[in-house]
Amino acid sequence: MTAPALEVLVPLRAAIIANAAITAKLGKYQGAPSVHTRRPVPVDAGFPMITVGPIITRSDEDGINSHRPIVVIDVNTYGEAAAHYRDVEAVPDMIYAMFHRQRPITVAGYSVTQITATGPSPAPADDDQHVGRRVTLTIRLFAN
C-alpha cells in the first residue's frame, strides 16, 4: 500500500486562523494573523505570534493493509514579555481546548482518528524579553 503525502501543518494553521477568539489576541504579518508554519519566522512578524511545527516525531500503527501515521507537533505561542504575557498565557489554553479530543482539521488522504493535546508548558525563548508557551499535539491518522 502506498501512503498519501502527509501535510498537517497547513490544516492546523487554517484551523487556528479560523478561530476568531485566538486571532483577536495575535499580532499581524502582511495583514493576516501572525501564525507561522516555517522557520525562521519573518523578522517583521507581529507579536503575539504562533508557530506551528515542524513535525517533532512521526511513527505509525500500521497494519498489513492500512497506513496509520502518528505525528507529534508543537504549537508555540510567543510574545514580548512585558506587553503580551497574559495573551501568551491565554492562547495556549484556547489551543488546547480547540484540539484536545476534537477533530477540527481535515488532512488530505487521511481520516483524523484522534488528537490529544498536552500542556501548556514553557516554550523555549532566545532571551528574557520574550515569553513562550507550548501545546504539544499528538495526531493519529488513518489513510483513506
Side-chain angles (χ1 to χ4, degrees), residues 8-102:
V8 295
L9 301 181
V10 170
L12 287 171
R13 180 182 185 276
I16 292 167
I17 287 176
N19 186 313
I22 291 174
T23 59
K25 295 186 174 297
L26 298 179
K28 299 285 185 194
Y29 175 67
Q30 296 184 346
S34 195
V35 180
H36 308 277
T37 58
R38 295 183 185 189
R39 298 225 175 88
V41 172
V43 295
D44 58 340
F47 285 106
M49 71 171 62
I50 294 174
T51 63
V52 181
I55 293 174
I56 298 169
T57 61
R58 181 174 172 177
S59 59
D60 60 63
E61 294 177 335
D62 294 350
I64 292 172
N65 292 315
S66 65
H67 179 64
R68 297 177 287 196
I70 303 168
V71 294
V72 178
I73 297 172
D74 282 339
V75 179
N76 297 306
T77 304
Y78 289 103
E80 295 167 336
H84 305 123
Y85 183 83
R86 294 292 176 216
D87 288 336
V88 172
E89 289 285 312
V91 168
D93 288 331
M94 298 163 76
I95 290 170
Y96 179 95
M98 179 179 167
F99 288 105
H100 186 62
R101 296 190 175 154
Q102 306 297 317

Side-chain angles (χ1 to χ4, degrees), residues 100-125:
H100 186 62
R101 296 190 175 154
Q102 306 297 317
R103 289 180 263 189
I105 63 171
T106 301
V107 178
Y110 293 89
S111 296
V112 177
T113 60
Q114 182 182 47
I115 300 176
T116 54
T118 57
S121 61

